Amino acid sequence: MLAAISIISGPSSQALAGRVARALGSRLADVDFFRFPDGEQYLRVPDVGAHSVIIQSTPTDSDYISLLQLIDACDRAEKIDVVIPYFGYARQDRRFLDGEAVSSRALAGAITADRVFTINIHNRNVLSHFDAEATDLDAAPVVGERIAAMGLTHPMIVAPDEGAIDLVRSASEHLGVDFDHLEKTRLSGEDVLIKRKKMDVSGRDVVLMDDMISTGGTITEAAQVLRENGANRVFSACIHPVLARNAALRLFASGIEDIVATDTLDRSVGVVSVANLIADGIRRDR
Ligand code: R5P
């Protein structure tokens, strides 16, 4: 008989964990957290289920600590699935300069579980650094469906660089929506250069889509190129709304009409839930 699933939510993924529990018809376990006066974190899962499904994104270092604590607190479970909807540090996926830490490898290597699930991780090669069987789930089709339902005029989905072309292809497949990509050079953590390019966007509504929006620099620069090409309305979409510092303000101030994003991170932008995608992944080969 299959063990009953308990959903164990970390502090950064509470809304999503609630939706996954509902999708699976499973119990949501209680989790107690607090911070000691010196800043250290405390965490307790009083009632650990036989099949524990931990859900915790790791946008900050303390979220990563919480994830390790959750895994340790659940060590009595017969089976542990760890869902990391947004896996921070995934962009440091190789050594760009001599002597750099390959941070994604260091962090993935410390996760112990039976199965690990991520969602549109920045680079799928990072999955090989997990000890457990690791699966990356693709949320692009769910975002694509939302875009298709927005009633846009002759829409097009555009990636800001070639690295995001598979993502926009996946979002536009089955929808009969055109897609294309721009070319980006990163100048610094906040600034990028998008190459001027002729694009068939005149009079069309365009959705700029990337795996994540962090400072918003990429999307605001790309929007400028689209406008130069005569685009009508410009929207942005992403899987992970990191939205660091004043990114949302920067996007809306630049004339982006809306930000469509998933709930891998809890942010106050148009939400498309990945709960069913995760629930399907958990059910698979239990
Ligand atoms: C980078 O490779 C990613 O795919 C995103 O393009 C990038 O993280 C977006 O960052 P920002 O919003 O700061 O330009």
Side-chain angles (χ1 to χ4, degrees):
M1 205 177 99
L2 294 175
I5 293 176
S6 295
I7 303 293
I8 321 258
S9 172
S12 71
S13 297
Q14 302 197 4
L16 176 57
R19 293 178 189 128
V20 174
R22 187 174 284 257
L24 286 169
S26 302
R27 184 180 78 95
L28 252 181
D30 285 337
V31 185
D32 304 330
F33 327 90
F34 72 79
R35 227 175 240 282
F36 289 103
D38 60 2
E40 288 181 357
Q41 299 178 186
Y42 169 92
L43 183 149
R44 176 171 178 247
V45 183
D47 186 9
V48 172
H51 179 177
S52 292
V53 175
I54 296 168
I55 305 184
Q56 167 74 342
S57 282
T58 56
T60 67
D61 297 355
S62 64
D63 288 317
Y64 183 77
I65 300 284
S66 298
L67 177 60
L68 294 182
Q69 289 175 315
L70 285 162
I71 294 170
D72 195 71
C74 292
D75 67 349
R76 282 169 291 142
E78 287 166 23
K79 176 168 187 171
I80 303 183
D81 287 334
V82 169
V83 183
I84 316 171
Y86 171 73
F87 185 60
Y89 288 91
R91 284 174 290 180
Q92 185 75 36
D93 51 6
R94 62 189 171 91
R95 194 161 274 154
F96 298 91
L97 295 174
D98 252 8
E100 280 181 351
V102 182
S103 310
S104 56
R105 178 176 61 190
L107 272 60
I111 305 290
T112 50
D114 292 292
R115 298 187 296 177
V116 170
F117 295 90
T118 56
I119 296 182
N120 295 92
I121 192 163
H122 183 66
N123 179 348
R124 284 195 170 170
N125 292 339
V126 171
L127 299 183
S128 66
H129 301 313
F130 289 101
D131 241 356
E133 169 197 332
T135 306
D136 188 53
L137 305 169
D138 181 16
V142 209
V143 174
E145 277 166 30
R146 171 62 59 92
I147 293 169
M150 283 163 65
L152 305 181
T153 303
H154 197 13
M156 182 157 180
I157 306 182
V158 174
D161 60 19
E162 208 173 351
I165 192 71
D166 286 344
L167 186 79
V168 296
R169 182 181 293 114
S170 173
S172 40
E173 235 164 26
H174 316 300
L175 302 174
V177 175
D178 294 341
F179 64 92
D180 201 346
H181 72 89
L182 292 161
E183 274 163 51
K184 168 175 105 175
T185 309
R186 182 159 286 288
L187 304 175
S188 70
E190 294 209 19
D191 297 309
V192 300
L193 188 70
I194 303 278
K195 198 170 157 191
R196 268 47 197 168
K197 167 181 175 181
K198 284 253 168 295
M199 266 192 150
D200 175 26
V201 292
S202 181
R204 304 176 71 168
D205 291 343
V206 183
V207 181
L208 273 165
M209 181 167 177
D210 208 350
D211 61 339
M212 68 184 83
I213 300 177
S214 181
T215 66
T218 299
I219 296 291
T220 47
E221 278 301 303
Q224 186 59 33
V225 176
L226 294 176
R227 290 207 185 84
E228 287 167 13
N229 278 282
N232 186 30
R233 305 166 75 194
V234 182
F235 297 81
S236 67
C238 64
I239 306 297
H240 308 296
V242 177
L243 299 178
R245 292 187 236 148
N246 60 345
L249 186 70
R250 193 174 177 189
L251 290 171
F252 287 114
S254 78
I256 296 288
E257 290 204 24
D258 206 357
I259 307 168
V260 178
T262 80
D263 52 358
T264 59
L265 292 166
D266 243 339
R267 301 285 189 268
S268 55
V269 290
V271 172
V272 180
S273 187
V274 292
N276 286 328
L277 189 68
I278 293 173
D280 290 345
I282 298 295
R283 280 192 204 102
R284 216 172 297 146
D285 305 324
R286 276 184 68 208

